[in-house]
Amino acid sequence: MPARESTILQPGTGEISGDHYLAASPATVMWGRLPCERDTAVLTVQPGQTVTIDTVSHEGILEDQGKDPLAYFTGKGVPAASVLDDAIEIAHEMSRDVMADGPHVVTGPIAVEGAMPGDLLKITVVRLQPRVPYGVISNRHGKGALVGELPRGEHNVSVFTPVEERDGRMVGVLPVVEGGPGLVEFPLAPFLGTMGVAVGGDQRPHSVPPGEHGGNIDINLLVEGTVLYLPVQVPGALAYVGDPHFAQGDGEVALTALEASLRATLRFEIVPRDEALAEFGEFTGPLVRTDEYLVPTGLDPDLGEAMRRCVRAAISLIQARWGLDEHLAYAYLSAATDFDISQVVDIVCGVHARIRESDFAAVPLVGPPRPGHPSVPDPLKTGDSARTGQTAPDSPVPDESPVLDEGHTA
């Protein structure tokens, strides 16, 4: 099915729901590197405000694909009007050091007024809108989980993947054999692979390895409605996003996910250091929160060490938040928590743990009480109902980056 012009979110077109809008252009993006302290914000917002941000996928603009997205995608049957204008502009006007820089395009940085080192930046994913009905999945030589085995032959492999509607839902479609009909279907779950804050100093990090600053964390839980907490490194935080995905399996084994451009509406808030310590204890981040889980992370070039770091982070979080003895927290994790491999293709491997908050509903929080936890009376309840826990009538239920070669990951 060819891309339909009506589904294309060209710059400035379609619904823009944020308090601010940030387009992707050579003036507002970086290609291959991430912001640092010396960079100037392209937008400044007040805490609590939302920003609708256009992101551009690197797939289709990279050098091994011709650095010409119009030619690349029309060659796959996409109408010219359905190729993003900002992708064309970025590929035409910008360049990068293929041997020293990463592949990713990131939009930003965005300064959040009042954010200071020691605080947490809270980024809520309000909405994610696909900008196009197609994407690309790539495997490149020297990259992925099976280096030296795949891809076969001398060329890199990029698989153009259309998105189609089936039974009222959008799916990615693949053939069984090259050039065959699209028979394999998988659901979309859009998220931003890169969400981060600027590092201190005047050296821009490579876009591939994630770290305490966040960056290319590739955690597929970060869908609409979820939250990412990042330790602020510099005044204003200088946040940025990119590496948009339509879908990704844990591990991202071939090298990339289904890479495709998204329009993201995000809310930026500041959690002051004292509140952050009361809520989560001391942590270096990133930390994800979904409706069901608290998700600490572990990052290291060695996957085993990334796993160990994630386990330590999970124990520390449980101790700080709920006060469990160390050996009991460890036992709980072993019995009840899944540790997932975020990705193994970003030089620095990622592991994340899914800790169900509901398992601790009967445990009083350590530190100052916070509304919303079962141990804290609901302010909507009054009199005896607040003291007994019965609901009142009609009340609602309550480092310096390495030098890497091109296209290391998505």
Side-chain angles (χ1 to χ4, degrees):
M1 175 187 293
R4 295 169 295 173
E5 187 173 355
S6 61
T7 66
I8 307 305
L9 292 180
Q10 294 285 8
T13 68
E15 181 181 353
I16 297 173
S17 58
D19 299 317
H20 303 270
Y21 170 61
L22 183 58
S25 74
T28 62
V29 305
M30 293 182 186
W31 189 2
R33 292 278 164 173
L34 305 177
C36 66
E37 189 171 10
R38 69 176 170 86
D39 287 309
T40 301
V42 298
L43 175 68
T44 299
V45 303
Q46 297 298 314
Q49 290 187 320
T50 56
V51 185
T52 297
I53 306 167
D54 280 345
T55 65
V56 171
S57 175
H58 55 278
E59 291 294 330
I61 72 171
L62 290 177
E63 291 78 4
D64 67 352
Q65 296 163 332
K67 202 172 180 284
D68 183 348
L70 184 60
Y72 181 79
F73 287 117
T74 56
K76 306 295 184 183
V78 176
S82 296
V83 181
L84 293 174
D85 293 340
D86 42 6
I88 295 171
E89 182 184 23
I90 288 166
H92 182 259
E93 296 190 13
M94 298 184 72
S95 60
R96 66 196 180 101
D97 185 332
V98 174
M99 298 305 297
D101 297 334
H104 309 101
V105 176
V106 297
T107 309
I110 299 166
V112 182
E113 193 71 40
M116 294 298 293
D119 298 335
L120 294 182
L121 183 66
K122 177 183 178 182
I123 307 175
T124 301
V125 182
V126 178
R127 190 174 184 194
L128 296 170
Q129 301 165 266
R131 298 184 64 196
V132 293
Y134 56 84
V136 178
I137 309 167
S138 288
N139 174 217
R140 294 182 168 92
H141 282 283
K143 321 294 191 295
L146 298 179
V147 172
E149 296 182 47
L150 294 174
R152 302 189 190 280
E154 61 183 79
H155 299 293
N156 295 328
V157 172
S158 290
V159 178
F160 176 79
T161 307
V163 169
E164 300 181 4
E165 184 174 344
R166 303 282 172 89
D167 299 324
R169 66 191 182 110
M170 303 306 291
V171 298
V173 178
L174 292 172
V176 174
V177 295
E178 188 66 35
L183 300 177
V184 179
E185 303 173 9
F186 57 92
L188 303 189
F191 74 102
L192 295 167
T194 293
M195 302 173 72
V197 294
V199 299
D202 60 359
Q203 297 296 314
R204 291 175 174 168
H206 194 282
S207 74
V208 169
E212 293 182 7
H213 58 281
N216 187 30
I217 54 178
D218 281 335
I219 296 176
N220 62 14
L221 295 174
L222 283 166
V223 295
E224 286 184 357
T226 58
V227 173
L228 176 65
Y229 296 93
L230 294 168
V232 175
Q233 316 279 305
V234 304
L238 298 181
Y240 52 87
V241 297
D243 189 24
H245 297 161
F246 278 7
Q248 178 194 297
D250 282 331
E252 200 183 19
V253 293
L255 173 66
T256 85
L258 174 52
E259 311 284 325
S261 300
L262 292 170
R263 175 169 290 170
T265 299
L266 309 175
R267 178 176 291 108
F268 295 93
E269 299 172 87
I270 301 168
V271 183
R273 176 171 171 76
D274 57 346
E275 293 181 23
L277 288 172
E279 184 79 11
F280 306 117
E282 196 79 61
F283 79 93
T284 57
L287 175 68
V288 175
R289 194 174 210 166
T290 75
D291 288 342
E292 188 175 1
Y293 302 112
L294 271 174
V295 185
T297 56
L299 299 168
D300 194 83
D302 178 80
L303 180 59
E305 181 57 26
M307 176 68 176
R308 289 185 286 274
R309 290 188 178 196
C310 188
V311 173
R312 294 184 193 110
I315 291 172
S316 295
L317 176 61
I318 290 172
Q319 286 186 286
R321 187 168 176 80
W322 292 292
L324 271 69
D325 289 343
E326 182 181 56
H327 72 286
L328 296 176
Y330 199 24
Y332 167 79
L333 292 172
S334 193
T337 296
D338 290 324
F339 286 78
D340 300 325
I341 299 172
S342 314
Q343 51 71 29
V344 293
V345 294
D346 293 339
I347 305 305
V348 172
C349 297
V351 175
H352 59 271
R354 289 183 282 141
I355 301 171
R356 276 186 305 273
E357 291 198 73
S358 62
D359 292 355
F360 300 88
V363 182
L365 291 171
V366 175
R370 289 171 288 279
H373 187 270
S375 67
V376 181
D378 191 323
L380 295 175
K381 300 175 185 177
T382 57
D384 291 341
S385 63
R387 288 189 292 273
T388 63
Q390 298 175 348
T391 305
D394 301 324
S395 65
V397 177
D399 298 309
E400 207 170 278
S401 59
V403 176
L404 305 173
D405 56 359
E406 180 272 328
H408 230 292
T409 188

